[in-house]
Amino acid sequence: DEMLGQLEGCIENLNDREATILQLYFIEQRNLAEIAEIIGVGSARICQIKKRALEKLRDGMERLQAA
């Protein structure tokens, strides 16, 4: 599917920490506290990074759809 390929491309543009956090949250279904312990930062920081990563994905997909 074309959209899936576009999403994969956007995910590749995330930095390692952002990609790891999204994988732990959405694929491994870990909560913010668990991810914070794994990454070594606070839960609030994980929430900020997750939000920024999702915004990057959304923006990237919107740009691709507009092209």
Side-chain angles (χ1 to χ4, degrees), residues 22-57:
L22 292 185
Q23 177 179 340
L24 290 169
Y25 190 80
F26 290 106
I27 305 300
E28 298 184 24
Q29 301 203 357
R30 304 280 186 123
N31 64 42
L32 296 178
E34 292 172 325
I35 297 169
E37 188 172 320
I38 292 166
I39 302 292
V41 299
S43 296
R45 183 69 183 131
I46 295 298
C47 188
Q48 292 170 340
I49 296 169
K50 181 175 75 76
K51 180 182 178 204
R52 184 180 66 220
L54 291 173
E55 288 170 352
K56 284 183 179 180
L57 291 179

